[in-house]
Amino acid sequence: MHRHEFLQGLHSVLKPHTYLEIGINDGRSLALSRAASVGVDPAPKIRVPLHCDLQLVTRTSDDFFAQKQPLGHLMSGRNPLRNARRGRPLFGAYTGANQVDLAFIDGMHIFEYALRDFINAERHSGWSSVLVFDDMLPRNNAEAVRDRVDQRGPWTGDVYKVIPVLAQHRPDLIAVQIDTQPTGLLMVIGADPASTVLKDRYDAIMEEWITPDPQKVPEALLERIQAVDPSSLLGAGFWSALSRRRGRRSTLNAVRRELTSLRGF
Ligand SMILES: C[S@@+](CC[C@H](N)C(=O)[O-])C[C@H]1O[C@@H](n2cnc3c(N)ncnc32)[C@H](O)[C@@H]1O
């Protein structure tokens, strides 16, 4: 399954009210959103029709997140009438509805940028948010170089390093590799906006993981040994409970159980 087909399925099973996309390019992934959306890209070249209530931000993601209220466009205010006019949940400011329901992290394909995008996006997320990274399963070491020499072919950069880093430093998150074409996805559920673990350990993580080219992608990622089938994932039973934010602990346990069986171990 192509990554855009999976994302389309994800919009359909999750039914997010709010969507954040980092890295828009020609707009093909943003075109899948029907939710209130914020799209961030310093140089977007939108060539397809869009169908969402969009704030387009032509800045880098670091500049975007450095603002005081970067995701104000998605949020309900205190005035229910004004919220109704904007199509936001009437009492969202009081009911915890002010979060990013779905985020797609597909900006600069360098490890530290992708990790920072996650750290920043998580601050605006909740346990039921779904955060998806693109290009996490390169097919060879050449695709994974940090310094992109060939501008024409597919390029994942070394963002795949986010996978072992989250596994090591954030075992509380549910992270699942997805076997999409061409270069795989990573989906993260169970976000904790109060967590400062990655921020606190950021310098040590950089010291350990930023290495000069060539990169050596672990065999298990190249072979997609732990990656789940995208159709089976979209057919899982937990989506509606996640979408309605029902029963935090029981829903997250159901997600873990189903992912274990989808992986086959
Ligand atoms: C692979 S493309 C995005 C493709 C799009 N998400 C899709 O699936 O159709 C990556 C985009 O990230 C943007 N980008 C590069 N550096 C960025 C940064 N620091 N912050 C946000 N976006 C960035 C580029 O301008 C480019 O348009």
Side-chain angles (χ1 to χ4, degrees):
M1 184 186 290
H2 186 271
R3 66 197 182 102
H4 285 154
E5 196 184 335
F6 175 80
L7 285 175
Q8 184 170 30
L10 191 53
H11 277 279
S12 146
V13 291
L14 188 65
K15 300 179 183 53
H17 291 110
T18 52
Y19 176 65
L20 168 66
E21 181 165 297
I22 300 173
I24 296 169
N25 197 27
D26 60 12
R28 278 177 298 155
S29 48
L30 192 54
L32 303 171
S33 176
R34 303 292 180 273
S37 303
V38 171
V40 184
D41 191 317
K45 310 173 248 320
I46 296 171
R47 295 206 174 96
V48 291
L50 303 177
H51 314 279
C52 56
D53 167 8
L54 173 70
Q55 182 187 23
L56 178 64
V57 181
T58 50
R59 297 178 175 209
T60 65
S61 51
D62 285 330
D63 284 352
F64 164 70
F65 282 117
Q67 298 174 105
K68 195 160 173 232
Q69 266 203 321
L71 288 159
H73 178 68
L74 305 182
M75 303 306 163
S76 298
R78 286 161 194 264
N79 182 333
L81 291 177
R82 188 152 180 267
N83 292 335
R85 277 200 301 277
R86 296 176 68 224
R88 305 292 181 266
L90 293 191
F91 301 101
Y94 307 97
T95 60
N98 275 346
Q99 66 171 31
V100 171
D101 290 335
L102 177 61
F104 186 39
I105 299 177
D106 191 19
M108 176 55 82
H109 288 179
I110 300 281
F111 164 62
E112 55 272 33
Y113 286 76
L115 187 67
R116 281 202 303 274
D117 285 344
F118 177 78
I119 292 170
N120 285 321
E122 188 181 26
R123 285 194 290 119
H124 304 278
S125 303
W127 68 269
S128 59
S129 303
V130 175
L131 295 99
V132 179
F133 293 82
D134 196 16
D135 296 307
M136 299 298 274
L137 301 172
R139 293 160 296 181
N140 51 61
N141 290 335
E143 260 176 10
V145 288
R146 289 170 61 83
D147 187 8
R148 186 181 195 182
V149 184
D150 181 357
Q151 298 294 324
R152 291 159 305 168
W155 176 58
T156 64
D158 64 343
V159 293
Y160 68 87
K161 294 171 182 171
V162 167
I163 295 175
V165 165
L166 292 186
Q168 182 182 344
H169 297 279
R170 293 293 307 279
D172 54 309
L173 296 171
I174 299 174
V176 56
Q177 300 163 37
I178 310 172
D179 186 9
T180 45
Q181 298 306 320
T183 46
L185 299 166
L186 181 77
M187 183 176 87
V188 178
I189 299 171
D192 174 4
S195 174
T196 60
V197 172
L198 294 170
K199 188 165 172 269
D200 295 344
R201 299 181 190 171
Y202 183 81
D203 290 344
I205 292 171
M206 293 304 122
E207 180 97 0
E208 181 179 354
W209 289 93
I210 297 182
T211 52
D213 289 329
Q215 305 299 319
K216 175 88 188 81
V217 184
E219 260 330 284
L221 296 185
L222 291 175
E223 299 295 329
R224 303 192 174 195
I225 287 169
Q226 295 200 17
V228 303
D229 171 59
S231 305
S232 313
L233 181 55
L234 290 173
F238 54 73
W239 290 111
S240 96
L242 200 62
S243 162
R244 282 178 284 141
R245 299 183 201 153
R246 286 267 165 81
R248 174 186 180 135
R249 187 183 291 264
S250 58
T251 299
L252 289 178
N253 284 342
V255 174
R256 281 203 174 84
R257 267 197 312 277
E258 284 207 61
L259 292 177
T260 306
S261 76
L262 289 178
R263 285 192 196 111
F265 56 86

